[in-house]
């Protein structure tokens, strides 16, 4: 049981870490508050499902199913998230701070509502079940272990790429854009363009993570992609301490571990399970408030620095 | 045509409810300077306290509603003192994100105490009136009346009483107001009591005109945000106009497109407005 707990923590932790690391790039480095993270995640998952699903038959209401191999769906997921980031980022990025937060939140809600109501995309609220996925047994791995490794690989690749990107001169341009836009523009940098680039680049791994999520759960449905995912990622980011990639990953792992731990407790009654779920929500919220209040990570790093 | 007008009328009622729900939110934004995502959860607190007194204790609706509103007002004050006051120095972004945590705590507590299922208050059935073929119920009229009374008394309070003027001074320039001898704690206490009390009124009305379930608060925050953005964050009088616009837009849209798209219509309006006028209807400063 402990083994399965660790494996599922690693699997979902690594997958959500991809989101946290991308959000870290947008917020801590780009200075953009994206409260619609789940939309890019959902765009990836739906793109993957639509590209790999067989053409509709019987009771299916979705209009498109391209029946393509999984890697084509995976690439499509990244492309879909990128495209969605371009569409939503281009008009909204001139907004700042809380206005940007609210507009991205609004876009995510609109997208969620479309997925829920427009049955031709993915069967509406029912969603698409039995999503195709590569079988890890082909390379001699167990199901869970295979996807855990895949999630970790995606996480490490994302973290490494973002690390390299930000260590480069381009990373300093990003920091300059965040810290002093006027100064950056006065030396001839197109800051609007840099913000859009960061926004779009960081959406791509979120789309890939969405595809991976669709493979793991073999289901895409609007209920899986509510604003709670966005809040979850933000809480994880705050837990880990902003501004470092390692912090983002550790924060996500800790939060996922906590949730998985609650999930393995066996319950006798439905009411018991419900109370446990609510308690989990309350404790998550309290943790969140406390971490933001005392900001322990900042203090630790300051102590280490001095 | 009558059907269309009926949708417009229902939309106006929805708009009045949205005004009630949003005006406290905008008031907090104006004075405390941040977006309190947990504001909608206060509606839930009020609705379920009222429900508890009304249904479980068997009280009449009026004392139940009074208890609900007062409990909510003081809950809001307590949260403001315990959670938001210490983090004010970190700025509005941290306060915005913290309020998500507060929403989690309140939402989870309500979930644990109440459980799933649909609840209704123990009140007489609505009586329906007809004018020129249009129907309106007495509870809907009550919502309209309360929206008018609440916004009018808030305006009177802010313009005529010394506490109200002190609150306006605080929101315009906190340092100057403090140095002129305004009691900061007193004005901040009044702010929290008023904004949470307004959430309490809206919560009771939610229980009166709709059925209650524990996820109801979360659906409200979406519409509250839509109205608040449309009005321009922090402006109070524009909330009245934008509440009516969003309410009518949502309900009239049902005339042409499926009802499931109602929330989408609210946000479509918001996105359009933000793209062309980022500061909202009444805002003057550029969206920054």
């Amino acid at each position: 049981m402990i083994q399965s707990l660790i494996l599922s923590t690693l699997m979902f932790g690594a997958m959500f870490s991809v989101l946290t690391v991308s959000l870290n790039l947008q917020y801590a480095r780009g200075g953009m508050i994206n409260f619609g993270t789940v939309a890019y995640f959902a765009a990836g998952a739906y793109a993957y499902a639509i590209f790999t699903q067989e053409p509709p038959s019987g009771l299916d209401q979705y209009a498109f199913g391209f029946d393509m191999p999984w890697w084509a769906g995976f690439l499509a997921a990244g492309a879909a998230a990128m495209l969605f980031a371009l569409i939503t980022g281009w008009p909204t990025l001139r907004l700042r701070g809380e206005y940007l937060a609210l507009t991205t939140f609004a876009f995510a809600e609109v997208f969620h509502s479309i997925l829920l109501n427009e049955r031709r995309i993915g069967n509406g609220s029912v969603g698409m079940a039995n999503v195709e996925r590569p079988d890890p047994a082909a390379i001699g791995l167990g199901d869970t272990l295979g996807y855990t490794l895949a999630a970790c690989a995606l996480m490490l690749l994302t973290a490494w790429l973002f690390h390299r990107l930000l260590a480069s001169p381009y990373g300093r341009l990003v920091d300059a854009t965040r810290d002093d836009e006027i100064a950056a523009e006065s030396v001839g940098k197109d800051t609007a363009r840099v913000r859009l680039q960061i926004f779009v680049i960081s959406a791509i791994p979120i789309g890939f993570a969405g595809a991976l999520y669709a493979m793991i759960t073999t289901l895409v449905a609007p209920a899986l992609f509510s604003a709670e995912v966005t809040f979850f990622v933000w809480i994880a980011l705050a837990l880990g301490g902003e501004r470092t990639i390692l912090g983002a990953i550790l924060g996500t792992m800790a939060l996922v571990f906590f949730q998985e731990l609650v999930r393995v407790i066996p319950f006798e009654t439905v009411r018991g399970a419900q109370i446990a779920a609510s308690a989990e929500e309350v404790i998550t919220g309290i943790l969140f408030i406390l971490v933001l209040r005392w900001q322990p990570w900042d203090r630790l790093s300051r102590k280490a620095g001095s | 045509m009558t059907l269309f007008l009926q949708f417009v009328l229902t939309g106006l009622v929805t708009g009045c409810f949205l005004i009630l729900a949003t005006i406290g939110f905008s008031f907090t934004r104006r004075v405390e300077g941040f977006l309190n995502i947990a504001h909608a959860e206060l509606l839930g607190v009020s609705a379920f306290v009222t429900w508890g007194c009304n249904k479980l204790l068997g009280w009449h609706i009026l004392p139940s509603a009074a208890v609900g509103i007062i409990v909510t007002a003081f809950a809001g004050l307590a949260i403001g003192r315990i959670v938001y006051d210490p983090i004010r120095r970190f700025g509005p972004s941290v306060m915005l994100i913290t309020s998500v945590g507060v929403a989690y705590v309140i939402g989870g507590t309500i979930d644990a105490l109440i459980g799933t299922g649909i609840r209704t208050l123990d009140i007489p059935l609505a009586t329906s009136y007809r004018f020129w073929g249009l129907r309106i119920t007495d509870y809907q009229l009550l919502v309209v009346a309360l929206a008018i009374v609440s916004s009018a008394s808030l305006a009177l309070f802010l313009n005529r009483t010394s506490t109200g003027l002190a609150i306006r001074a605080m929101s315009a320039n906190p340092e100057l107001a403090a140095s002129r001898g305004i009691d900061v704690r007193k004005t901040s206490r009044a702010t929290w009591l008023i904004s949470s009390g307004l959430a309490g009124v809206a919560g009771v009305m939610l229980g009166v005109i709709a059925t209650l379930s524990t996820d109801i608060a979360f659906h409200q925050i979406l519409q509250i945000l839509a109205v608040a953005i449309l009005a321009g964050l922090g402006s109070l009088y524009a909330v009245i106009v934008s509440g009516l616009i969003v309410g009518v837009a949502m309900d009239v849209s049902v005339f042409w497109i499926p009802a499931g798209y109602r929330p989408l219509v609210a946000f479509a309006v918001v996105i359009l407005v933000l793209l062309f006028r980022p500061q909202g209807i009444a805002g003057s400063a550029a969206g920054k």
Side-chain angles (χ1 to χ4, degrees), chain A residues 18-107:
Chain A
V18 175
L19 270 69
T20 327
V21 167
S22 306
L23 201 63
N24 182 56
L25 178 65
Q26 289 180 352
Y27 176 62
R29 302 301 293 264
M32 294 172 276
I33 302 184
N34 179 355
F35 255 19
T37 318
V38 67
Y40 310 95
F41 190 52
Y46 267 88
Y48 175 79
I50 289 170
F51 270 77
T52 56
Q53 198 80 311
E54 286 162 18
S57 63
L59 290 174
D60 292 330
Q61 288 178 301
Y62 59 88
F64 302 104
F66 298 123
D67 202 11
M68 297 229 253
W70 68 270
W71 51 266
F74 194 72
L75 291 178
M82 191 176 96
L83 201 67
F84 193 60
L86 262 178
I87 296 170
T88 53
W90 179 73
T92 53
L93 284 179
R94 62 203 174 87
L95 303 169
R96 293 288 185 273
E98 54 195 0
Y99 281 89
L100 179 62
L102 294 177
T103 325
T104 46
F105 187 71
F107 268 122

Side-chain angles (χ1 to χ4, degrees), chain B residues 2-117:
Chain B
T2 316
L3 185 64
F4 182 78
L5 286 179
Q6 180 67 50
F7 280 133
V8 173
L9 184 68
T10 319
L12 287 175
V13 175
T14 310
C16 283
F17 172 74
L18 289 177
I19 293 170
L20 270 180
T22 312
I23 204 158
F25 177 82
S26 280
F27 189 53
T28 315
R29 169 63 176 74
R30 166 99 173 250
V31 183
E32 299 285 321
F34 74 104
L35 297 172
N36 187 7
I37 300 293
H39 185 81
E41 299 292 337
L42 289 177
L43 266 72
V45 171
S46 157
F48 281 106
V49 169
T50 309
W51 174 80
C53 292
N54 179 242
K55 211 61 187 262
L56 302 182
L57 302 178
W59 295 4
H60 188 261
I61 182 67
L62 286 179
S64 310
V67 170
I69 293 168
I70 292 169
V71 166
T72 310
F74 280 94
L77 175 63
I79 294 170
R81 280 279 179 275
I82 297 169
V83 180
Y84 296 128
D85 276 357
I87 58 164
R88 199 178 303 267
R89 62 199 159 92
F90 296 132
S93 293
V94 172
M95 293 177 88
L96 164 66
I97 301 170
T98 301
S99 74
V100 174
V102 176
Y104 261 71
V105 174
I106 302 178
T109 313
I110 294 180
D111 261 348
L113 292 178
I114 309 287
T116 49

Side-chain angles (χ1 to χ4, degrees), chain A residues 2 18-19 44 61 84 86-87 97 140 159 170 178 202 212 216 225 231 246 257 266 290-291 298:
Chain A
I2 292 176
V18 175
L19 270 69
Q61 288 178 301
F84 193 60
L86 262 178
I87 296 170
Y170 183 76
R178 179 198 64 219
S202 58
L212 198 61
I216 293 171
F225 303 104
F231 292 152
L246 186 65
F257 177 73
L290 293 182
V291 167
D298 276 15

Side-chain angles (χ1 to χ4, degrees), chain A residues 4 11 45 60 86 88 99 132 142 151 175 179 226 244 251 253 277 285:
Chain A
S4 80
M11 179 164 73
D60 292 330
L86 262 178
T88 53
Y99 281 89
E132 289 288 325
D175 284 345
D179 290 336
S226 65
T244 65
M253 290 288 180

Side-chain angles (χ1 to χ4, degrees), chain A residues 33 91 94-96 98-99 102-103 105-106 109-110 113-114 117-118 231 271 274 278 281-282 285-286 288 292-293, chain B residues 29 35 86 90 93 97-98 101 104-105 108-109 111-112 115-116 222 225 229 233 260-261 264 267 274-275 278:
Chain A
I33 302 184
R94 62 203 174 87
L95 303 169
R96 293 288 185 273
E98 54 195 0
Y99 281 89
L102 294 177
T103 325
F105 187 71
E109 283 310 312
V110 168
S113 170
I114 291 177
N117 289 293
E118 184 50 69
F231 292 152
R271 184 83 183 114
Q274 200 189 10
S278 323
E281 207 179 318
V282 173
I286 292 177
F288 194 36
L292 286 169
R293 163 85 167 77
Chain B
R29 169 63 176 74
L35 297 172
F90 296 132
S93 293
I97 301 170
T98 301
Y104 261 71
V105 174
T109 313
D111 261 348
T116 49
L222 303 179
L225 283 175
I229 305 172
L233 297 173
Y261 284 109
L264 187 145
F267 277 107
L274 275 183
L275 295 185

Side-chain angles (χ1 to χ4, degrees), chain A residues 33-238:
Chain A
I33 302 184
N34 179 355
F35 255 19
T37 318
V38 67
Y40 310 95
F41 190 52
Y46 267 88
Y48 175 79
I50 289 170
F51 270 77
T52 56
Q53 198 80 311
E54 286 162 18
S57 63
L59 290 174
D60 292 330
Q61 288 178 301
Y62 59 88
F64 302 104
F66 298 123
D67 202 11
M68 297 229 253
W70 68 270
W71 51 266
F74 194 72
L75 291 178
M82 191 176 96
L83 201 67
F84 193 60
L86 262 178
I87 296 170
T88 53
W90 179 73
T92 53
L93 284 179
R94 62 203 174 87
L95 303 169
R96 293 288 185 273
E98 54 195 0
Y99 281 89
L100 179 62
L102 294 177
T103 325
T104 46
F105 187 71
F107 268 122
E109 283 310 312
V110 168
F111 190 61
H112 183 255
S113 170
I114 291 177
L115 290 180
L116 195 62
N117 289 293
E118 184 50 69
R119 300 210 176 100
R120 276 166 290 183
I121 298 176
N123 281 345
S125 62
V126 181
M128 295 156 107
N130 294 326
V131 174
E132 289 288 325
R133 62 176 192 171
D135 190 0
I139 48 170
L141 288 172
D143 219 36
T144 322
L145 187 64
Y147 281 103
T148 308
L149 290 179
C152 289
L154 182 63
M155 173 187 79
L156 292 176
L157 191 66
T158 310
W160 181 73
L161 278 178
F162 283 176
H163 177 72
R164 288 303 304 262
L165 184 73
L166 290 173
S168 69
Y170 183 76
R172 288 193 290 280
L173 171 60
V174 173
D175 284 345
T177 307
R178 179 198 64 219
D179 290 336
D180 196 336
E181 207 162 317
I182 298 168
E185 279 193 346
S186 69
V187 291
K189 305 295 182 192
D190 187 348
T191 54
R193 199 187 161 116
V194 171
R195 284 160 63 90
L196 184 61
Q197 281 170 347
I198 286 295
F199 197 72
V200 171
I201 289 172
S202 58
I204 300 172
I206 298 182
F208 285 147
L212 198 61
Y213 191 58
M215 291 183 205
I216 293 171
T217 57
T218 67
L219 170 77
V220 291
L224 294 174
F225 303 104
S226 65
E228 269 174 45
V229 176
T230 305
F231 292 152
F232 178 87
V233 180
W234 271 100
I235 293 174
L237 189 61

